[in-house]
Amino acid sequence: MMGSAISSNASEAAEWADKVYAADYEELKEYRDDIYSDVMAYTLNEYKPAVVLSASTINGRAFVPRAAVKLETGLTADCVVLEMNRETKLLEQTRPAFGGNLMATILCENARPQMATVRPGVFAASKDNSRAKGEVIAVSVPKDILKSKMEIIGRENNETASVNLKEYDIIVSGGRGMMTGNGFELLKELADLMGGTVGCSRPVADAGLLDHSHLVGQTGTTVKPKMYIAVGISGSVQHLAGMEDADIIIAVNKDPNAPIFTVANYGIVADGFEFVPALIEKIKAGRK
């Protein structure tokens, strides 16, 4: 853990780990790629773990690969499956390859540590912390490592129509089949009625109809809502990987052979422009 005045955070993390290595410095108060990667590389070199896992967040994608380069080791990004081979002591790192058309398992045989990043939401959080010992270890790093070439001169909020899909229990997603006319206005109305938000497939985000933050899939956000409604989405491998663990999946598509139906709990073969307005009216009528 890196940051400034993080003792309470480290103690909280220690409730879920045997040991927490905490680098607590004023210079780490503001995130900067160069300092964070230097501190991470120094710490890993000092304690020499066999495996390092990290979240593939915006910051994680920036500084963790830099640390791997400094350590002269490999890193597998955006893994969806991680398994330790007890015989070979190798971490089997599986991630989508060739546009998601196949899954590749990657090994780092000759360098240490073995490093991998995982996209948030891919794995469910553990609910059992009974084995945690809760020891916090203060990491001491040389002062020259804490010198950055970057200077933060200010911050500005990015006022865009972004959304955090992970905050919603209900997501109503639209695909290519809803890109004409008022398709996404209908989906937004349905989502609002259900207390959810709107998601989308890749063609919708690429066309600029919704901000990239609404994109569900391997190149967007991996979600696990209580209910996922997919309208006009055929169900590419990339999209399915981002939503197939939802509690309930309802798919609406004109094509009875659409791949989305293979993961759906409920499948409706229908035109979304006919189904969605009918469902909206049913919900409104039930609330009168």
Side-chain angles (χ1 to χ4, degrees):
M1 179 176 290
M2 292 177 278
S4 176
I6 58 173
S7 58
S8 61
N9 303 80
S11 297
E12 182 180 352
E15 296 177 6
W16 296 91
D18 294 334
K19 297 178 181 179
V20 174
Y21 296 88
D24 194 339
Y25 292 93
E26 177 65 25
E27 291 88 344
L28 296 173
K29 182 176 182 180
E30 297 279 3
Y31 168 76
R32 282 170 285 191
D33 291 347
D34 55 352
I35 294 183
Y36 269 60
S37 59
D38 284 344
V39 171
M40 184 179 196
Y42 178 86
T43 305
L44 297 181
N45 195 46
E46 284 289 301
Y47 293 97
K48 293 181 169 48
V51 172
V52 175
L53 307 179
S54 180
S56 186
T57 58
I58 293 175
N59 289 348
R61 289 180 178 183
F63 83 89
V64 178
R66 292 177 65 149
V69 171
K70 296 174 190 294
L71 293 166
E72 297 184 352
T73 189
L75 182 145
T76 305
D78 294 342
C79 294
V80 294
V81 178
L82 294 169
E83 293 182 353
M84 177 61 76
N85 188 311
R86 299 300 177 184
E87 295 182 3
T88 63
K89 305 298 183 183
L90 292 176
L91 179 67
E92 298 177 351
Q93 308 159 63
T94 302
R95 59 151 295 151
F98 293 101
N101 292 313
L102 59 82
M103 305 299 283
T105 298
I106 299 170
L107 304 177
C108 184
E109 296 181 327
N110 302 317
R112 292 293 180 273
Q114 303 168 82
M115 298 181 67
T117 61
V118 179
R119 303 186 74 179
V122 170
F123 298 134
S126 173
K127 296 181 181 179
D128 178 19
N129 65 343
S130 59
R131 295 186 299 168
K133 298 176 183 177
E135 180 183 0
V136 177
I137 299 171
V139 174
S140 178
V141 300
K143 282 292 183 180
D144 61 331
I145 287 182
L146 298 172
K147 295 178 181 179
S148 177
K149 296 178 181 179
M150 292 180 252
E151 179 184 357
I152 298 174
I153 59 175
R155 294 182 179 276
E156 291 185 14
N157 290 329
N158 184 11
E159 301 293 343
T160 63
S162 62
V163 64
N164 185 357
L165 293 175
K166 295 180 184 297
E167 294 180 351
Y168 292 87
D169 290 332
I170 297 175
I171 298 174
V172 180
S173 274
R176 196 187 301 273
M178 298 298 289
M179 287 176 62
T180 58
N182 65 336
F184 277 85
E185 293 176 13
L186 290 172
L187 296 180
K188 186 178 186 308
E189 183 178 358
L190 176 60
D192 289 343
L193 280 172
M194 301 180 73
T197 192
V198 176
C200 68
S201 62
R202 179 97 201 176
V204 177
D206 286 346
L209 293 179
L210 287 179
D211 182 78
H212 189 273
S213 61
H214 291 263
L215 176 59
V216 175
Q218 288 176 352
T219 54
T221 303
T222 300
V223 297
K224 295 181 181 180
K226 293 181 178 178
M227 181 180 292
Y228 188 85
I229 303 176
V231 185
I233 297 176
S234 61
S236 67
V237 174
Q238 295 93 324
H239 188 80
L240 296 184
M243 44 66 71
E244 60 186 349
D245 289 329
D247 291 347
I248 297 175
I249 299 173
I250 301 172
V252 182
N253 200 292
K254 291 191 295 184
D255 179 7
N257 298 314
I260 192 74
F261 289 127
T262 63
V263 299
N265 299 98
Y266 302 96
I268 298 100
V269 179
D271 187 331
F273 285 95
E274 297 176 358
F275 177 84
V276 175
L279 181 57
I280 289 173
E281 291 305 314
K282 279 285 187 180
I283 294 174
K284 288 181 176 179
R287 294 179 179 178
K288 290 181 180 179

